[in-house]
Every structure is written in structure tokens, then in C-alpha cells.
């Protein structure tokens, strides 16, 4: 069984899962899930990186393989996800731009005042024998600095590379 890199980092700092959880404001079981490969929110990744001294985007670099163009061509796909926010949970199908084999953008809005673009990015996997995709994790309302090359770079940068180049950190 491979030890997750986060567990190695935590142990190098002499921290228990419970102590690390207290420091970042989450439950110990959540730290355990992260060490088993669950992807954190950007906010939790940033808190962890402050304590364990690593780039917070490492979570995304280690989980998402390089996206290169060609041969991958962005395409519109249908992504299913669960909506459990109201009293009647249901599955939603939403058209999304698949910009590399495992990442899709469901929504994009541009704020003219700030010059930023808001994306709802979803980690997805294609359903077997289907043209549909299923959400594995989502990163709602990520703000990126707008650029003429932003959409083009989405086809050739890793998600972490995209965050490094365009993420509007000062908007948090």
C-alpha cells in the first residue's frame, strides 16, 4: 500500500491527524480522507500548505495528469452531479466544456469591474460505454484573471499550471 504524500508531510512535522485537523479547522476524519487521496477545497489546500510548507496546488498537480493539445480537443459534454441542497435531492445534467480528459468547466462568468472570470471546474470521469461524464469533485466559483490566452492555455496546462498562471488569489 502506497503512503500518500500528505501523510508523509504531516508525519515529518510530527503532527497527528487530530492536531493537523485542529490547526486547519476540520474534523480528523477529513484529514484521514485527504491522506487516502480525497481532493480538498482550494481553501483547505491553502491552509494545509501554510502549515506543512508546500505549494497548495500540489493537490491538483498530483491528481491531474498533463493535458496536451493536440491530441486532446476540447468538447462539449454532459456532466451529471447530485443536487442535495434542497429537500428533494436529484441528479442534474449540465452541459460543460471538457478541456482535458478529466476536467470540465460548467459555468463561466466575467466581471467587467474586476477583470476576473469565474469558473465552476469539475473533476469528471466518463461513464463506461457512454458519452456522459460523472462529477467526482467540484471547485465552485474559482476566480481567474482574464486573458486572451486563458481558454487556449486550458488545453495545454495542467490544472495546477492554470491556477499558477491565472488564479486570482487576492480575491479570497
Amino acid at each position: 500500500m502506497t503512503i500518500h504524500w500528505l501523510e508523509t508531510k504531516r508525519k515529518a512535522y510530527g503532527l497527528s491527524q487530530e492536531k493537523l485537523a485542529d490547526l486547519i479547522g476540520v474534523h480528523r476524519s477529513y484529514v484521514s480522507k485527504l491522506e487516502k487521496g480525497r481532493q480538498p477545497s482550494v481553501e483547505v489546500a491553502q491552509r494545509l500548505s501554510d502549515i506543512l510548507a508546500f505549494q497548495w496546488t500540489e493537490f491538483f498537480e498530483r491528481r491531474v495528469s498533463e493535458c496536451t493539445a493536440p491530441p486532446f480537443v476540447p468538447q462539449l459534454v454532459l456532466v451529471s452531479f447530485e443536487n442535495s441542497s434542497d429537500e428533494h435531492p436529484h441528479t442534474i445534467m449540465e452541459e460543460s466544456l471538457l478541456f482535458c480528459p478529466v476536467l470540465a468547466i460548467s459555468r463561466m462568468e466575467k466581471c467587467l469591474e474586476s477583470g476576473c472570470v469565474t469558473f465552476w471546474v469539475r473533476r469528471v470521469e466518463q461513464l463506461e460505454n457512454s458519452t456522459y461524464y460523472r462529477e467526482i469533485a467540484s471547485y465552485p466559483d474559482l476566480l481567474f484573471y482574464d486573458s486572451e490566452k486563458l481558454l487556449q492555455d486550458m488545453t495545454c496546462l495542467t490544472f495546477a499550471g492554470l491556477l499558477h498562471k491565472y488564479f486570482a488569489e487576492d480575491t479570497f
Side-chain angles (χ1 to χ4, degrees):
M1 181 175 178
T2 305
I3 295 177
H4 192 269
W5 64 271
L6 182 61
E7 180 180 357
T8 303
K9 276 271 197 199
R10 174 182 57 80
K11 287 180 177 179
Y13 279 81
L15 297 171
S16 66
Q17 284 183 342
E18 190 164 337
K19 181 62 178 172
L20 180 59
D22 288 342
L23 291 170
I24 63 171
V26 299
H27 193 271
R28 186 210 55 82
S29 63
Y30 186 69
V31 172
S32 175
K33 289 175 184 176
L34 293 175
E35 289 181 356
K36 290 177 182 165
R38 180 175 180 170
Q39 196 137 1
S41 67
V42 169
E43 184 180 345
V44 169
Q46 289 173 331
R47 284 189 248 147
L48 281 166
S49 72
D50 289 344
I51 292 166
L52 299 178
F54 64 90
Q55 287 291 319
W56 65 271
T57 55
E58 280 192 56
F59 280 102
F60 310 106
E61 289 169 350
R62 293 171 189 264
R63 299 277 307 221
V64 178
S65 62
E66 290 289 331
C67 299
T68 58
F72 187 79
V73 177
Q75 56 192 310
L76 288 176
V77 296
L78 287 175
V79 176
S80 69
F81 57 96
E82 301 299 318
N83 177 6
S84 56
S85 61
D86 58 27
E87 62 186 61
H88 304 290
H90 54 283
T91 300
I92 295 173
M93 296 294 288
E94 189 167 84
E95 193 172 55
S96 303
L97 174 66
L98 188 71
F99 65 92
C100 75
V102 295
L103 292 171
I105 295 174
S106 294
R107 296 184 191 107
M108 182 177 97
E109 300 172 1
K110 182 173 181 176
C111 176
L112 297 177
E113 290 178 20
S114 69
C116 289
V117 179
T118 303
F119 292 115
W120 189 302
V121 178
R122 299 180 191 282
R123 277 196 73 239
V124 296
E125 66 181 4
Q126 188 167 12
L127 299 174
E128 195 172 331
N129 300 320
S130 174
T131 58
Y132 297 114
Y133 286 74
R134 177 178 69 87
E135 175 185 277
I136 298 171
S138 68
Y139 312 99
D141 301 328
L142 294 181
L143 290 178
F144 291 83
Y145 293 113
D146 194 18
S147 164
E148 291 178 11
K149 298 187 108 195
L150 179 62
L151 292 177
Q152 177 186 351
D153 280 349
M154 285 181 168
T155 64
C156 61
L157 294 175
T158 63
F159 186 45
L162 198 64
L163 290 173
H164 277 298
K165 190 169 181 180
Y166 293 106
F167 188 66
E169 293 182 64
D170 58 335
T171 59
F172 271 98

